[in-house]
Amino acid sequence: MILRPFIKINVPLQSEKINMKITNNSVVGLTYELKVSKDEEEVESAPFSVEVRDGEDPFYFLFGNSGLPEKFEELLAGKGKGDSFNFIITSEDAYGEADEEMIMTLPKSQFTSQNGFEPNMLEEGNFLPLVDENGFPMQAKVIKDLGEEILLDFNHPLVGFDLHFDGEVFEVREATTEELEHGHVHGEHGHEH
């Protein structure tokens, strides 16, 4: 048996990636609970939970190109895996106030089964998944069924709300070339955001 001295090799072990911090073009995975509240006429509603993302279904996005409120990204910048966060983004810094011009009537003939719509999708209070002329996904809330027409609200569902985030950074990694080219994350767990 030939004995050789044990030499400790300091392999970087991608330590810079293990401790990678959130910066532009990094892919970020978060787990969190989102609660919202409304501050109207000096009466503030108690925050109520609208979304929970856990380790089974983290929320992934491309930092710096997420379409999320700037304040949200600003408050997460520089954090790393395992860091927790807890902050409130006011409606002013989130999705603003409702725009009446975003409430419009459209003929029901646009929402036929040939176009992939079921009659029960047009019930009041439902959110319709739609795509605009540029192919961007959007959603509209059904306000009222007017018979031949339907009244829809294209404002963001969280418009007018203060957003209360309480969560943890689940993962930070470099974006792939493909993700950078397409501007969104090819998702873990089969999700795209």
Side-chain angles (χ1 to χ4, degrees), residues 33-140:
E33 180 176 16
L34 168 59
K35 294 181 179 180
V36 298
S37 63
K38 249 189 177 159
D39 195 356
E40 286 182 329
E41 298 166 11
E42 298 177 12
V43 179
E44 190 170 348
S45 69
F48 60 93
S49 182
V50 293
E51 186 181 23
V52 175
R53 302 299 286 263
D54 59 20
E56 295 291 307
D57 181 28
F59 171 62
Y60 283 92
F61 66 98
L62 184 60
F63 194 86
N65 190 12
S66 63
L68 297 164
E70 279 181 33
K71 189 77 176 174
F72 180 75
E73 292 200 340
E74 193 182 300
L75 291 166
L76 287 171
K79 290 188 179 297
K81 182 176 180 176
D83 287 348
S84 59
F85 55 90
N86 190 322
F87 49 73
I88 298 172
I89 303 176
T90 62
S91 59
E92 186 183 357
D93 286 329
Y95 294 102
E97 297 305 317
D99 181 353
E100 288 186 14
E101 289 183 11
M102 298 289 281
I103 299 173
M104 55 192 80
T105 53
L106 292 175
K108 262 195 184 169
S109 55
Q110 287 192 16
F111 302 98
T112 61
S113 54
Q114 286 92 329
N115 291 341
F117 293 96
E118 303 295 331
N120 63 341
M121 291 172 76
L122 303 180
E123 289 172 7
E124 292 174 15
N126 281 359
F127 283 95
L128 287 176
L130 304 171
V131 176
D132 70 10
E133 61 272 17
N134 298 314
F136 287 104
M138 59 194 299
Q139 54 183 357

Side-chain angles (χ1 to χ4, degrees), residues 19 49 97 133 153 166 172 178:
N19 299 318
S49 182
E97 297 305 317
E133 61 272 17
D153 183 355
D166 183 5
V172 186
E178 188 182 11

Side-chain angles (χ1 to χ4, degrees), residues 16-17 20 25-27 62 172-176 179:
E16 69 280 359
K17 292 185 182 178
M20 190 174 164
N25 293 332
S26 53
V27 168
L62 184 60
V172 186
R173 64 170 171 80
E174 291 171 6
T176 64
E179 286 169 335

